[in-house]
Amino acid sequence: MYLVESKGGAIACMLLALLSLGTWPAVLTLLERRGRLPQHTYLDYSITNLLAAIIIAFTFGQIGSTKPDSPNFITQLAQDNWPSVMFAMAGGIVLSLGNLSTQYAWALVGLSVTEVITSSITVVIGSTLNYFLDDKINKAEILFPGVACFLIAVCLGSAVHRSNADDNKAKLRDFETAKQEASGPSTEIGTNSSKDLETNVTTKPKEGTARFLIELENTRAIKVFGKRKIIGLAITFFAGLCFSLFSPAFNLATNDQWNRLKQGVPKLVVYTAFFYFSVSCFIIALILNVVFLYYPVLGLPKSSFKAYLNDWNGRYWAFLAGFLCGFGNGLQLMGGQAAGYAAADSVQALPLVSTFWGVVLFGEYRRSSRKTYLLLFCMLFMFISAVAVLMASSGHRK
């Protein structure tokens, strides 16, 4: 069994996890914006997410010879370690609920803001719990200032969302005004905003314009116009709460701080725990999404399992997202086993990556006000500070 034993190796795992966990939400968001039903996408994603855990277990979990205190993956499957297995599976359940919820929150609240809020809740609650579960191996004088940085970033992220929402409302209002003032076929409205509105419908709308927002609403699977913002925010906060609990549950599974295992039974190694964790994550995702096929939420159209099997539009992208998330979670937990799970929660700075993809792929914040750009810069700067501080707090598990 391969174990990350150095602080440098743990930080490398966390950085790779940060990239992977910040990218897969962008892939699912892309599919939703192209009109693919989220139930179909999440079922595909869940398959490769589980497959990633199996690959990790049978490779890293089987490297080298087995030892009494750190058995290989297959050896540990037959041991009497069900209390720890239950903690691992509980972590998988809450993570699955959180991931499923965010798929809807990305559409209602936006990719960047959703990731900011959920990640910050995860750090504030999850890192605090992990700090005490890890017997305070992280440096408190560094860890908690990092948590404070995330709280500041939450405030800035919320301000970005409000400012950008105001910008979009202004664009749509100007668009409607221009339509009302326009007479005849002429598109010369005589204002600067009319150029951005692109009233010539034969051209592709530029990102950030009112026509772009309207066409996006027409093509996407989850319709957002007219829906109350409180619904999206409630889903987002629920997801953040779920995310904040999965890492402490995994911590208990691998370190048995509450002494639930029988004497002489070795603790779950990270690969075995991750396997059980991913199995429960898959089962919950399968059950809920099959239900949502026939009883959809948020006004989505009904589907069926047969329709899902025949829907190959974007399936390979969903498979890629599952691999990215699966390997990202595995790397985070491998790093956390060595450096402490509180420090491993630094990967919750993934909004850095998600915001990058949101701007590049989806045109978020295009043609926004200077105020929005300034707030966006401050938010990203604070997230960079937060991830650096949390990584600096990492200790070494004895």
Side-chain angles (χ1 to χ4, degrees):
M1 179 186 66
Y2 175 77
L3 286 177
V4 179
E5 298 180 348
S6 67
K7 181 177 178 179
I11 290 176
C13 286
M14 287 185 266
L15 287 173
L16 289 173
L18 175 63
L19 178 62
S20 299
L21 294 176
T23 298
W24 76 267
V27 176
L28 295 195
T29 300
L30 177 65
L31 294 177
E32 184 275 324
R33 286 178 168 229
R34 290 181 174 179
R36 194 168 197 246
L37 291 178
Q39 306 97 304
H40 294 187
T41 298
Y42 203 86
L43 284 169
D44 290 336
Y45 151 90
S46 299
I47 293 171
T48 48
N49 187 55
L50 175 61
L51 183 58
I54 295 174
I55 292 172
I56 290 174
F58 280 97
T59 52
F60 292 108
Q62 285 297 116
I63 292 176
S65 59
T66 187
K67 299 178 182 178
D69 60 339
S70 57
N72 285 345
F73 168 67
I74 294 179
T75 302
Q76 195 160 50
L77 289 178
Q79 294 177 343
D80 185 14
N81 45 31
W82 280 103
S84 292
V85 169
M86 291 296 100
F87 280 120
M89 298 188 76
I93 290 172
V94 292
L95 180 68
S96 185
L97 292 174
N99 283 340
L100 180 60
S101 300
T102 54
Q103 192 178 14
Y104 295 92
W106 293 327
L108 297 173
V109 180
L111 177 62
S112 300
V113 173
T114 298
E115 296 303 306
V116 166
I117 294 175
T118 56
S119 295
S120 299
I121 295 174
T122 300
V123 170
V124 173
I125 300 177
S127 293
T128 301
L129 292 175
N130 280 323
Y131 172 73
F132 291 103
L133 288 173
D134 282 337
D135 198 23
K136 304 178 182 180
I137 69 173
N138 297 96
K139 302 170 185 175
E141 67 274 15
I142 301 178
L143 174 65
F144 289 106
V147 172
C149 288
F150 272 102
L151 285 173
I152 295 172
V154 170
C155 298
L156 291 170
S158 300
V160 170
H161 174 56
R162 287 194 300 269
S163 180
N164 191 57
D166 291 340
D167 294 341
N168 288 339
K169 287 180 181 179
K171 293 171 189 176
L172 294 171
R173 184 173 58 249
D174 290 346
F175 182 81
E176 292 300 325
T177 301
K179 286 174 60 177
Q180 293 174 5
E181 292 180 352
S183 58
S186 174
T187 60
E188 297 296 328
I189 309 300
T191 64
N192 291 333
S193 61
S194 65
K195 296 179 182 179
D196 292 333
L197 296 175
E198 297 181 284
T199 52
N200 183 2
V201 296
T202 62
T203 63
K204 182 179 179 180
K206 295 180 180 180
E207 292 174 335
T209 62
R211 235 190 82 209
F212 175 83
L213 297 174
I214 294 171
E215 292 199 8
L216 172 62
E217 177 71 7
N218 292 334
T219 58
R220 72 186 317 159
I222 303 174
K223 307 303 181 183
V224 300
F225 284 5
K227 286 189 170 62
R228 298 173 61 189
K229 292 294 183 182
I230 189 64
I231 297 175
L233 289 174
I235 294 173
T236 302
F237 277 96
F238 172 76
L241 180 61
C242 291
F243 289 150
S244 70
L245 297 177
F246 100 85
S247 180
F250 194 91
N251 194 351
L252 286 167
T254 55
N255 294 300
D256 190 36
Q257 290 94 333
W258 293 350
N259 299 315
R260 299 299 183 186
L261 292 175
K262 296 179 181 179
Q263 187 174 2
V265 177
K267 299 174 183 177
L268 277 189
V269 298
V270 64
Y271 306 107
T272 309
F274 185 50
F275 171 77
Y276 284 116
F277 167 92
S278 300
V279 168
S280 65
C281 191
F282 173 78
I283 292 173
I284 291 298
L286 179 64
I287 293 173
L288 290 179
N289 279 281
V290 169
V291 171
F292 288 161
L293 287 175
Y294 298 94
Y295 303 96
V297 296
L298 297 176
L300 285 163
K302 285 187 177 182
S303 185
S304 65
F305 197 73
K306 181 179 179 180
Y308 156 69
L309 293 176
N310 293 329
D311 181 13
W312 285 87
N313 182 26
R315 171 157 287 164
Y316 293 114
W317 284 106
F319 285 158
L320 174 63
F323 275 124
L324 287 172
C325 184
F327 284 112
N329 283 327
L331 288 167
Q332 177 191 5
L333 298 171
M334 287 166 62
Q337 180 69 10
Y341 289 100
D345 278 337
S346 60
V347 301
Q348 298 305 325
L350 57 88
L352 282 170
V353 181
S354 296
T355 299
F356 171 79
W357 291 122
V359 172
V360 172
L361 288 179
F362 311 132
E364 289 185 346
Y365 312 115
R366 296 288 177 87
R367 291 174 171 77
S368 293
S369 63
R370 290 183 179 179
K371 176 183 175 182
T372 299
Y373 289 138
L374 177 61
L375 290 170
L376 179 62
F377 172 80
C378 293
M379 182 191 75
L380 295 178
F381 176 80
M382 192 54 61
F383 266 102
I384 292 172
S385 302
V387 69
V389 171
L390 260 68
M391 283 188 171
S393 77
S394 61
H396 187 74
R397 193 181 303 279
K398 298 179 181 180

